[in-house]
Amino acid sequence: MVQCPMTMVNSNVNDADAKTGATRCALITGGSKRIGAVTVRLLHEAGYNVIIHCRLSRPAADELAVELNAIRPDSAKVIQGDLNIETIYDSIIEQAFNCWHRLDVLVNNASSFYPTPIGSITLDDWNNLINSNMKAPLFLAQAAAPHLKQTHGCIVNMVDVHAQRPMKAHPVYCAAKAGLSMITLSLAKELGPEVRVNGVAPGAILWPENDMPEHTKKLILERTTLKRPGTPLDIARTILFLVRDADYITGQIIAVDGGRSINI
């Protein structure tokens, strides 16, 4: 399980509803591991109640919820669901809302990632990568919109620097993230003025869970301006900024990539 270094977070009225004083609530998809778990911890540290969505990693999600509830009782819940199932989107949002009868933040973090070189792509590959990276964020946002409008909440989508510059052997994944990029901008128009919608585009943050050759990692880092990898906390801090401190920002996608996107 990813361990998030403790970070001092300034208190801010945005971690509680300014009118009612109720604690704000955030749903993070894919929130049990890696960047998702670090984001869950940081939002929780900032005072948010968190709903941890998972698909297969229920033990890790439950363990994280127990850890956070020990810090602040009744502040973390777990929802399990497969985002490949088309009928599940409304149910996930309904379950999230029913945790504390409000929803302020949706972080569409869950994502499938693996190569699909031309000549090997199957319909299952297409459906899996499109569903998790583009389809689910759209339909979760649609289902969450009425609740988010009530709380003047926000959505943060996990995009990717490869939405603009394709990665070799990953055409389906890159297409899905490019679609999510446009969905982010479109939702900002559709859901304003009540709901803000932004995206975060990570670069070299965590290497894939499957093995990646060391020479490939070195090449990727050489293409950054900062010549080093980022950390999951870099992404989580950007999400927290967009959620809590960016009241006049919507329709933007922030690259957190060490300057890789400015180097061709």
Side-chain angles (χ1 to χ4, degrees), residues 59-104:
D62 287 339
E63 183 179 349
L64 179 55
V66 168
E67 173 191 328
L68 298 179
N69 284 324
I71 297 171
R72 180 157 46 88
D74 192 34
S75 60
K77 308 281 190 181
V78 175
I79 293 176
Q80 187 170 10
D82 186 349
L83 298 181
N84 285 308
I85 301 174
E86 296 180 356
T87 57
I88 206 170
Y89 306 129
D90 289 350
S91 173
I92 287 176
I93 296 302
E94 181 181 6
Q95 290 178 67
F97 176 79
N98 287 336
C99 287
W100 292 284
H101 301 289
R102 66 179 294 138
L103 186 63
D104 301 87

Side-chain angles (χ1 to χ4, degrees), residues 20 27 49 53 60 79 88 94 159 161 172 175 203 211-212 232 261:
T20 67
L27 167 62
N49 285 346
H53 161 267
I79 293 176
I88 206 170
E94 181 181 6
V159 191
V161 292
V172 181
D211 291 336
M212 176 180 282
S261 55

Side-chain angles (χ1 to χ4, degrees), residues 219-232:
L219 179 61
I220 290 172
L221 295 180
E222 285 176 351
R223 290 175 177 171
T224 70
T225 300
L226 298 182
K227 307 301 181 187
R228 58 179 174 83
T231 70

Side-chain angles (χ1 to χ4, degrees), residues 2 34-36 38-39 205-206 230-239:
V2 177
R34 294 167 64 87
I35 291 174
V38 176
T39 301
I205 302 297
L206 284 176
T231 70
L233 194 56
D234 292 320
I235 303 301
R237 284 170 173 159
T238 306
I239 292 172

Side-chain angles (χ1 to χ4, degrees), residues 242-261:
L242 289 171
V243 166
R244 190 189 64 182
D245 302 322
D247 287 345
Y248 200 59
I249 297 178
T250 193
Q252 302 300 312
I253 297 172
I254 300 178
V256 185
D257 65 352
R260 185 180 180 189
S261 55

Side-chain angles (χ1 to χ4, degrees), residues 110-133:
S111 173
S112 297
F113 174 83
Y114 54 87
T116 53
I118 293 296
S120 70
I121 302 170
T122 66
L123 284 175
D124 284 344
D125 292 332
W126 173 267
N127 289 331
N128 185 30
L129 290 166
I130 293 295
N131 284 349
S132 64
N133 290 294

